Every structure is written in C-alpha cells, then in structure tokens.
Amino acid sequence: MRVVVTNNYQEMSREAARIVARQILAKEDSVLGLPTGDTPTGMYEELVQLDNRRLIDFSKVITFNLDEYYGLPLDHPGSYHRYMREKLFDHVNIQEGSIHIPDGVAKDIEEECRRYEEEIYRYGGIDLQILGIGPNGHIGFNEPGSDWEMTTRLVKLSEETRRRESRYFRDPTEVPTQGITMGIKTIMKARKILLLASGKEKAKATTKALKGPVTKKVPASILQLHPMVTVVLDKEAGSLF
Ligand code: GLP
C-alpha cells in the first residue's frame, strides 16, 4: 500500500486527479469506479480542467458509480446521479452510454443490483476504483458489520450516515433510509484502488482502516488485503498516522 500525505485539500485533489489521468492515458477505455461526497469534488474539478485542456480524453472511458440512494428521484438535488452530472459528466466528453450509476428508483431492485454487477464484468471489470471513507470507516454504503462476500445490493443506512448526509438535503427527514451500493467483494475485485480522505474528521477512521486489524467493524480495513492500493490524504486526515 502506497500512502501519500499531502499538505492540503487542493494538493490531495491534484494528486488524485493525476493518478486518474495516468490511468486514462495508459488505457483510453479504462473502467473507472467513482465515488461521491465532499472528498472527491476537488479531484473532479481537476479532471474537468485536464479534459478541457485536452490533456486527457473521456470519450472512451467507462464509469460505474459506487452507490446511490434508494427511492430518490434521479434528478433530486441530493441524488448521486445529479451530483455526478454537476461535478463531472456535464463538463467532459464522456459518452452517455458509458455512464453507469445504480438506479435507486428501479421497479425491481434485486434485478437492478444483479444487472449492475453483471454490467461491470461485461466491460472487463473495474481498472481503478476511487473511494472516499466515512467517519465510521464505511466505503460506498457498506456500513460497519457488512459482510466481505457481498456484491451490489440494497442496504440500510446507519443513523450516523443519514445524519451526516442530511447536509445535502433541505430537511433531515428527506434523507433516504436505504441505498444501493457495490459490495466489498465488488470493490476488492478492482485491479487498482485509490482511497482519498481529507480533514480531521477522517483521521481516526483512516488510521484504523489502514493500520488497525482487518475487521468488519471498519469496512475500509479490508483494503489492507488488496494488492494495489494508493491512499492520498491531506495533512489533517493523515495526522494520526
Ligand atoms: C457517503 C458515500 C460514500 C462516501 C462517504 C464520505 O456516505 N456513500 O461513498 O465516500 O459518504 O463522504 P465525504 O467525502 O462527503 O466525507
């Protein structure tokens, strides 16, 4: 595991964008696994700039998002569909058909999860999976206690996660109680993983995940067993290292 501690959020974002850019330059039809949240917004801004300066090209890139809320209209301001459009897809030349995000309002959710998982392998699997980490150590919506063997599925969100995510909603009661997420098994099958964390709030979770025992109580700790992980932190998230 390679750990890079940068001076601040902007440096973390630039370093992350460079890693993604190198992946796209090495393989133009790379399959990327993408996260949402506050952490990767700077990375997306950097990627948009690299694309607009024609240093990278998204036209053959395939993307699969990590997760989405269950039951939230796709154009709801809190949805990850909306987030991805606003932060990345509306600003780069990716093809519409190359974008994959779990459909949280699909009629048959079990079928949607199965289809999503199959679609990833139809494209040959994920080349680079980018991840954030929750303050409780979650990755995607795989909350503490999640089984390692799980693939894409419907999950219940912890109250802690719902409370935290309420910043994206007008009213805390609007935050869905469930989400669709790639499972830990799906994530671990990616060829390479890039984990990002920024801010004091993430220092404990990051240290537990990367230096503590591998335990279901800290879902991100499984990454210690992945052969190709790069972790990029800002100084605050890396302060307990
Ligand atoms: C959410 C998302 C995760 C994300 C995490 C951290 O729960 N489902 O995929 O990594 O929160 O979010 P943030 O980057 O805003 O701290």
Side-chain angles (χ1 to χ4, degrees):
M1 183 179 290
R2 189 168 77 96
V3 181
V4 182
V5 182
T6 60
N7 283 317
N8 53 45
Y9 179 74
Q10 195 183 24
E11 277 187 23
M12 180 205 75
S13 304
R14 284 208 178 126
E15 181 58 21
R18 279 194 288 258
I19 292 170
V20 179
R22 269 182 233 130
Q23 173 65 42
I24 297 173
L25 287 168
K27 183 175 181 244
E28 59 181 5
D29 57 348
S30 284
V31 180
L32 303 180
L34 299 179
T36 49
D38 287 345
T39 313
T41 56
M43 174 192 76
Y44 289 134
E45 275 169 30
E46 296 286 336
L47 286 172
V48 168
Q49 282 190 31
L50 291 173
D51 172 274
N52 294 353
R53 289 162 57 209
R54 297 186 188 270
L55 293 167
I56 53 171
D57 177 12
F58 274 88
S59 62
K60 297 209 171 69
V61 169
I62 309 291
T63 64
F64 283 91
N65 264 80
L66 254 182
D67 48 13
E68 177 57 289
Y69 289 109
Y70 172 65
L72 202 62
L74 303 187
D75 61 348
H76 187 285
S79 83
Y80 292 165
H81 275 76
R82 180 88 174 253
Y83 172 103
M84 288 308 300
R85 296 247 156 249
E86 288 174 0
K87 307 290 183 210
L88 183 69
F89 299 145
D90 281 350
H91 313 289
V92 296
N93 64 340
I94 190 162
Q95 291 184 43
E96 203 50 43
S98 303
I99 297 170
H100 304 85
I101 306 178
D103 181 355
V105 289
K107 280 211 185 78
D108 184 341
I109 288 291
E110 259 184 45
E111 175 55 28
E112 168 63 7
C113 294
R114 213 179 6 252
R115 186 197 63 77
Y116 200 71
E117 194 76 19
E118 278 171 16
E119 197 77 345
I120 294 174
Y121 302 111
R122 208 166 62 77
Y123 282 100
I126 294 170
D127 291 305
L128 176 64
Q129 174 68 56
I130 306 146
L131 296 172
I133 180 170
N136 63 2
H138 76 206
I139 43 179
F141 275 138
N142 295 286
E143 299 280 25
S146 297
D147 219 306
W148 305 134
E149 283 306 303
M150 289 302 193
T151 54
T152 303
R153 70 202 184 287
L154 184 66
V155 293
K156 197 173 174 304
L157 307 184
S158 70
E159 276 317 303
E160 183 189 353
T161 296
R162 289 190 67 230
R163 222 173 302 121
R164 210 174 154 260
E165 296 308 309
S166 66
R167 67 197 191 281
Y168 285 108
F169 293 80
R170 256 185 323 194
D171 187 306
T173 58
E174 265 187 59
V175 185
T177 54
Q178 288 170 289
I180 298 182
T181 184
M182 283 184 194
I184 305 263
K185 191 172 180 182
T186 324
I187 294 169
M188 287 295 280
K189 276 193 181 167
R191 291 179 191 94
K192 287 181 238 162
I193 293 181
L194 169 60
L195 176 74
L196 307 178
S198 115
K200 257 205 299 263
E201 186 203 21
K202 300 291 174 69
K204 254 196 202 150
T206 313
T207 311
K208 269 195 201 164
L210 306 178
K211 289 198 159 164
V214 176
T215 162
K216 287 183 194 167
K217 288 187 199 150
V218 184
S221 65
I222 191 75
L223 300 177
Q224 294 180 35
L225 303 184
H226 190 283
M228 288 274 263
V229 179
T230 302
V231 182
V232 184
L233 309 172
D234 68 2
K235 219 177 0 200
E236 289 182 334
S239 60
L240 299 177
F241 245 70

